[in-house]
Amino acid sequence: MEMSELLKELNMDEALRDPDTAHLVIERNRVVSSHWVQGLEVKTEEIENGVEVSVRVREGTVITKPVHFCFGVTHKRALQRIVMHVHVERGAKIAVLSHCMFPKAEDITHVMEADITLDEGASYVYREKHIHSPDGGIEVYPRATITLGKRARFATEFELIQGRVGKIDIDYAVTCGEESTMEMMTKISGRGDDDIKIRETGYLVGERARGVLTSRVAVREHATAEVYSKLVATAPYARGHVDCHEIVQDQGVATAVPVVEVKHPKAHVTHEAAIGSVDTKQLETLMARGLSEEEAVEFIIQGLLS
Amino acid sequence: MKILSLKQVNLSLNGRKILQNLSMDFWKGRVHAVVGPNGAGKSTLAATVMGLEGYRKVRGEILFEGESITNMGIEERAKRGITLAWQEPARFEGLTVETFIRASAREKSDAEIQRVLQVVGLNPDEYRNRAVDRTLSGGERKKIELASILAMRPKLVLLDEPDSGIDVASLENIFEAIRVLRKDGTTVVLITHSLAVLAQAEHAFLICDGTLIEEGPMEQIRPYFEDKCIPCNHKNIPEIEGEEHGDE
């Protein structure tokens, strides 16, 4: 399957033809297609096994339509490394819709190394959706270091519910400046022998900084998941919340380690974690409406990950 | 015509007898009420008829349309047309009202989703895309659960405390839903200790300590219940039941 066919399947081809929508399509270590709009500067350089991308959103620029990124490998075996530098300047706003596609993966490693800086009042919303092959055969290593300036807003949503996970090891760290806001949501569904590790850390260092770390994970069959979510608040009126919910079915194993550290008497951080099988009342409600147990479980998991 | 019959049904939970030799007949297309004080065994009765986990070790027999369902699980009972509305409905993170109703709907059209939401007094445009989670009040979830039951078009529905968490203004929506169910030919079993809800029924059972005390037309049962004049050695121990299913 070629990249163009994949894009068509995702209904992305239309967006890619739109002159007002910026996009970047990378297949393995090759930039297949790119298009930029005013105020958005992007440089790409092909490196060994990947591409280095530098994104700059100029001061005050508001990109009205979501920018489309697509990183993929259409081969069965490959290493893909994406090195991403993002700088959203003062008052600029950008939203990115990113697809990572590995439909034929048998032995693929995908590494993402990102450093992201948001200046005062900047906003960066990043939605990343992974589409893997039904057989696993892939290892994914997303790494990101994010720094938020005063009143900046960073929101990210990572979704991997289509195809097998294989192995994923996410490691994100965000430092939140004064009155900035950070929201990170991760949704992953594992089965077979999938191996899921999520490490997310937020440092609320600025006065009135706010952060929420949310994870929703389902593990079935023999899949395993470890979720480490940490929020450290060191400034007055910093507010944070860690929310982790994992559903375990069959022989799946899940671990959640929420850590909250408060180093200022006027800061406040909370956490909640729930791990277990599907809630009995939810299950019985759906079964009392005529769904089979399997259908009800699937329904509940899909809801959790939706 | 009988649709559901309990024949000398006994159920013990944690070594304590909750239902004792209960024999009851429910008639097709009628609205029945099961009334009694807190801890009488009303919600346990509903859970037992639905076959919920922990409520299946029954002595005696439960017949639905002449067939024994005593050893059947929830799914099989639901497929035969029995359903239950919980006193406190479940929350479903991530599921929209529309998806939730559609899952149980016999007819899955948009018009049907709209119809059932309107019956329970919810504006479809406002509610269909909302999540069935903690952002909804208990009363709203109750109405949505009732809407899903209307869409399912069951043969028999057990409504456990249908007015709990419902404000006075919305009570009429619940009663309208009961009328619609009846009009559709559904047998309705109201588990209640509310006189207003009891008044919707044609026939009622008065139970206490898991034992049937009296049954008859609603008007006949109402004075007993109203005056709390129950001639039995009732011991109200709400902590024994009600934790799971809300019978306080």
Side-chain angles (χ1 to χ4, degrees), chain A residues 158-161 165 168 170 186-190 196-198 216-219 305:
Chain A
F158 183 98
E159 179 187 303
L160 203 177
I161 54 178
V165 171
I168 187 158
I170 296 175
T186 308
K187 300 172 183 176
I188 303 180
S189 173
I196 300 161
K197 278 193 185 67
I198 301 168
R216 298 288 180 264
V217 177
V219 282
L305 298 173

Side-chain angles (χ1 to χ4, degrees), chain B residues 75-86:
Chain B
E75 185 189 338
E76 289 168 281
R77 296 184 197 209
K79 288 207 187 307
R80 278 162 176 75
I82 304 173
T83 197
L84 165 69
W86 272 252

Side-chain angles (χ1 to χ4, degrees), chain A residues 156-210:
Chain A
T156 180
E157 188 177 309
F158 183 98
E159 179 187 303
L160 203 177
I161 54 178
Q162 219 171 316
R164 282 277 304 281
V165 171
K167 179 179 178 180
I168 187 158
D169 188 343
I170 296 175
D171 194 348
Y172 289 167
V174 189
T175 303
C176 305
E178 193 182 338
E179 293 181 43
S180 66
T181 310
M182 169 269 287
E183 299 160 61
M184 291 207 282
M185 160 73 94
T186 308
K187 300 172 183 176
I188 303 180
S189 173
R191 53 173 70 238
D193 60 352
D194 288 343
D195 178 8
I196 300 161
K197 278 193 185 67
I198 301 168
R199 259 187 297 270
E200 291 175 335
T201 310
Y203 299 98
L204 306 171
V205 299
E207 196 169 318
R208 296 181 198 282
R210 285 165 193 271

Side-chain angles (χ1 to χ4, degrees), chain A residues 49-290:
Chain A
N49 299 315
V51 178
E52 185 163 359
V53 184
S54 300
V55 178
R56 179 182 171 209
V57 189
R58 296 181 70 117
E59 184 174 332
T61 303
V62 176
I63 313 278
T64 49
K65 290 191 173 180
V67 175
H68 283 61
F69 285 173
C70 181
F71 308 127
V73 176
T74 53
H75 296 75
K76 292 177 181 174
R77 293 174 187 80
L79 164 66
Q80 184 186 48
R81 188 166 157 248
I82 305 290
V83 180
M84 178 83 80
H85 312 285
V86 178
H87 184 188
V88 187
E89 294 183 352
R90 189 187 165 102
K93 290 182 169 53
I94 181 170
V96 174
L97 185 59
S98 177
H99 285 87
C100 295
M101 303 184 293
F102 311 95
K104 287 197 227 165
E106 283 181 8
D107 182 13
I108 284 180
T109 302
H110 170 77
V111 180
M112 165 71 79
E113 296 160 13
D115 61 82
I116 299 163
T117 305
L118 274 65
D119 290 347
E120 183 176 340
S123 169
Y124 185 52
V125 178
Y126 189 79
R127 295 209 165 84
E128 181 170 345
K129 184 174 180 175
H130 274 241
I131 298 162
H132 290 188
S133 82
D135 307 313
I138 182 164
E139 295 187 7
V140 178
Y141 300 94
R143 305 270 183 267
T145 308
I146 302 118
T147 309
L148 309 185
K150 190 176 179 180
R151 284 197 291 275
R153 179 183 176 233
F154 174 72
T156 180
E157 188 177 309
F158 183 98
E159 179 187 303
L160 203 177
I161 54 178
Q162 219 171 316
R164 282 277 304 281
V165 171
K167 179 179 178 180
I168 187 158
D169 188 343
I170 296 175
D171 194 348
Y172 289 167
V174 189
T175 303
C176 305
E178 193 182 338
E179 293 181 43
S180 66
T181 310
M182 169 269 287
E183 299 160 61
M184 291 207 282
M185 160 73 94
T186 308
K187 300 172 183 176
I188 303 180
S189 173
R191 53 173 70 238
D193 60 352
D194 288 343
D195 178 8
I196 300 161
K197 278 193 185 67
I198 301 168
R199 259 187 297 270
E200 291 175 335
T201 310
Y203 299 98
L204 306 171
V205 299
E207 196 169 318
R208 296 181 198 282
R210 285 165 193 271
V212 181
L213 303 176
T214 308
S215 51
R216 298 288 180 264
V217 177
V219 282
R220 284 175 275 193
E221 297 165 5
H222 294 277
T224 58
E226 292 172 30
V227 180
Y228 301 92
S229 311
K230 184 175 177 180
L231 270 182
V232 183
T234 54
Y237 309 108
R239 294 283 181 271
H241 184 64
V242 175
D243 178 0
C244 174
H245 191 163
E246 297 180 63
I247 287 183
V248 180
Q249 292 283 289
D250 313 317
Q251 281 76 51
V253 177
T255 311
V257 186
V259 177
V260 294
E261 233 176 87
V262 175
K263 296 180 176 174
H264 194 286
K266 287 183 178 169
H268 187 71
V269 183
T270 54
H271 75 81
E272 59 182 298
I275 306 183
S277 185
V278 169
D279 178 76
T280 307
K281 195 185 231 180
Q282 291 180 341
L283 192 66
E284 289 187 332
T285 298
L286 293 171
M287 289 172 72
R289 302 287 178 273

Side-chain angles (χ1 to χ4, degrees), chain B residues 7 68 143 181:
Chain B
K7 294 194 179 301
S68 175
K143 288 182 181 181
L181 284 163

